[in-house]
Structure formats: C-alpha cells, structure tokens
Amino acid sequence: MIHDPDAAVDRAAFERWRTADPRHAAAYARAERAWDSAAFLAQTSFGRTRALPERRRFFERTELRYAFAAAAVLVVAILGLSIGGVGLFRHDRPPQAAQFASNIGQIRRVALADGSTVTLDTDSVLRVAFTASERRLYLSRGRARFDVAHDAARPFVVMAGNGSVTARGTIFDVAVAGDRVKVILLRGVIEVRDGPSAADTSQPTMVRLSPGQQIAFGAAEPLVVPQPAAATDAQWPTGMLNFDRTRLADAIAQANRYSTVRISLADPALGDVRITGAYHTGDAAGLAQGIADSLGLHAAKTPEGDVVISALAPVPAT
C-alpha cells in the first residue's frame, strides 16, 4: 500500500503527483474513501495513525482479509502506474493552460513550466497551452521574445495571426500588429508557416529562418524571402527605443505603445523626417522633448497632458 512503511513505492513521486493537480488529489481522496468503506485502511499503520475504527470481526475470516488486500493492492497498482505517466496506463497529461499579459509601459518576464522564458513587451497578451506532446502558445496582441528550452520530443509552437512559428531550442521575437505578424530570429533555427487564405486550400507555406533574419506576413499574403533584421530591433527588452534613420511618424507610433501620454505631430508632413537615437520608454514627455531637440523642433504639453511636436515658429525679422 502507498501508506504502508513496507510499500515499494516512491513516496516523493506520489506526493508530486498528488499535489500537481487538484484532480489528482480528488481522485486519491475517492480511493481513500473506498478503502475506508471496506475497513481496509484500519488494518494498516496509516489507518491506525488516522485513528480509524478497527473492524477486526469483519476480517476474522482469512479469505475475506486476503480478498480485500488483493483489491486494495490493485487500486494502488493502478495509481502507481499513473504516477509520472508511465506503464500500461500511460496517457498525456492534461494541458497546462495559462494566460499572461503586460500592462501599457510594462516589460514582463515569465518563466514557463518547461524551463523556457518569455519576455512580454508592453500591452501584450499570451496564452500558453502545454501538453505532453506539444508546447503551444498563442500571441494575440503585442510582442514577445521566446527563449526556448530544448525538448526534442515536444516542439515549441507559437501561433500568431494567420501563421505559426515552430522551434525546439532557440531565441526569437514575434510581434502582432493588427493582422500583420513580424518574426525575428536571434539564435538557432525556426520554421515560419502561414495558413492558407480563404481562396487557397493548399498546404501552408513554410520558410526556415537563420539567425539575424526576419520575415513579416499578413492574413491574405504569402510568405516572402526572409530579410536581414536591423540590430536595433533586438534591443527592446532593455526598455530603450533605438532608431536608425527611422521615420518620425514610425518612431512616435512605437513610443506611444509604452505610455498613456500620447505624442502627436502638429503637421503630418513632419512624419517623413528621419531620426536616429536611443530613448527610454518610461518617460513619454522626456522622449518627445529629446526628439524635438535632436531635430530642431518644438514640443509642448496639451491641457490633457499629451505632447505635440511642431516646427519652430520662424523668428520675425528685425
């Protein structure tokens, strides 16, 4: 028996199994109740420590005692075979499902049950659904960096937009913006697949990326040839925004993802101005002022607390 001091059972493994899932504890509790009903536990050291009533008369007949003992051993054997999912009754463990999200302005690091880590960029949502045969995740919004623990038996699959990214031990970024997905590989090898469009019933396209490459796709467009990724694209987990001749409109769009303070341009034509520099994401007003100073523009707060960047007013002639 599992409770008997002479039991040839790994007690630590049993306790890990029982505490791993409330359903395990409930199943074992039902088994205990069955034993109690049969008065078998009362005849063991565990039963005596539980102060269970002894029903010696019931077990005075040797054949009954052996019959109940055999039945109890069978129950324990079934439980033992299920510990760790080995033996004749091996089955996939139920999915380990969880959802993680980051707030606006927050960069959040999450440790997963398989040893992998995920870094969530600002305003991101990720759902995790692990099984014994696959590690599947769903990125519905934002951006995430996946540092994948190697597991040859369980592929690591990130679903995003209309496609997926498959890896086994590597580091890569996935970003979702509307119906578009961007993937950047930092280390290892990954396979990017896009699903067939409504008008195309062929198999999904697959592209394999090498370190330093990126690829982007949308809901109704096929995968294209991977392109080199900019070095600045990999630095977002540091909390810095790095721009290298980036359009001002694009730089402001990135900055606005990290703050409830909105930066805008008084003249849309300023959006095509190019900017180079590194800015901290935690201070929108300071970032706007830094951008304005580097480009010779003017940054002013609105009554609502937002910031508007405009061209400097011409100095009147004297």
Side-chain angles (χ1 to χ4, degrees):
M1 285 191 55
I2 189 70
H3 298 296
D4 217 301
D6 297 328
V9 177
D10 186 341
R11 189 180 187 85
F14 168 75
E15 291 299 335
R16 287 194 299 271
W17 172 84
R18 184 165 61 173
T19 58
D21 191 314
R23 289 171 292 187
H24 297 176
Y28 188 70
R30 288 194 296 270
E32 281 190 316
R33 288 194 294 271
W35 287 337
D36 286 344
S37 298
F40 183 78
L41 284 179
Q43 308 305 312
T44 67
S45 58
F46 174 74
R48 288 190 290 271
T49 60
R50 292 278 298 273
L52 294 176
E54 296 192 15
R55 299 179 185 176
R56 297 182 185 273
R57 292 180 182 177
F58 188 80
F59 287 94
E60 285 176 354
R61 291 176 58 186
T62 301
E63 62 273 20
L64 285 176
R65 182 165 64 248
Y66 287 156
F68 277 102
V73 168
L74 178 60
V75 172
V76 174
I78 294 173
L79 288 172
L81 287 170
S82 69
I83 295 174
V86 299
L88 297 176
F89 296 92
R90 179 171 183 171
H91 60 279
D92 284 357
R93 294 186 180 91
Q96 303 171 37
Q99 180 164 299
F100 303 97
S102 58
N103 299 322
I104 293 177
Q106 179 187 28
I107 296 177
R108 179 183 179 187
R109 187 173 183 271
V110 177
L112 302 181
D114 69 326
S116 302
T117 60
V118 178
T119 303
L120 293 176
D121 199 2
T122 176
D123 194 23
S124 300
V125 177
L126 177 73
R127 183 166 61 89
V128 179
F130 284 1
T131 68
S133 59
E134 183 183 66
R135 297 171 289 172
R136 183 167 291 238
L137 308 93
Y138 301 82
L139 183 66
S140 57
R141 185 173 75 235
R143 176 166 56 177
R145 172 163 298 175
F146 302 92
D147 189 341
V148 181
H150 180 73
D151 186 344
R154 289 201 303 167
F156 190 98
V157 182
V158 178
M159 308 298 297
N162 195 48
S164 66
V165 182
T166 302
R168 284 180 173 80
T170 184
I171 301 177
F172 61 96
D173 290 352
V174 180
V176 176
D179 65 350
R180 291 195 59 77
V181 178
K182 182 178 180 180
V183 181
I184 298 177
L185 178 62
L186 304 177
R187 188 184 73 194
V189 177
I190 58 176
E191 296 175 351
V192 180
R193 292 177 172 84
D194 67 340
S197 65
D200 182 9
T201 58
S202 64
Q203 293 295 318
T205 306
M206 187 275 285
V207 173
R208 184 174 287 109
L209 266 62
S210 298
Q213 290 185 326
Q214 68 175 20
I215 195 169
F217 57 90
E221 52 186 89
L223 292 176
V224 296
V225 176
Q227 300 295 319
T232 55
D233 288 342
Q235 299 172 9
W236 63 265
T238 65
M240 299 294 293
L241 291 175
N242 296 273
F243 304 125
D244 183 8
R245 293 192 53 77
T246 304
R247 290 181 66 250
L248 181 55
D250 296 335
I252 289 176
Q254 290 190 49
N256 282 340
R257 294 183 57 242
Y258 290 87
S259 177
T260 56
V261 174
R262 314 301 291 176
I263 304 172
S264 61
L265 296 173
D267 182 357
L270 293 174
D272 291 327
V273 176
R274 301 285 170 165
I275 181 172
T276 298
Y279 303 88
H280 196 277
T281 60
D283 180 10
L287 186 149
Q289 189 61 57
I291 290 175
D293 292 343
S294 65
L295 297 176
L297 302 174
H298 176 69
K301 285 189 176 181
T302 69
E304 294 77 22
D306 296 329
V307 183
V308 177
I309 297 177
S310 61
L312 290 172
V315 177
T318 58

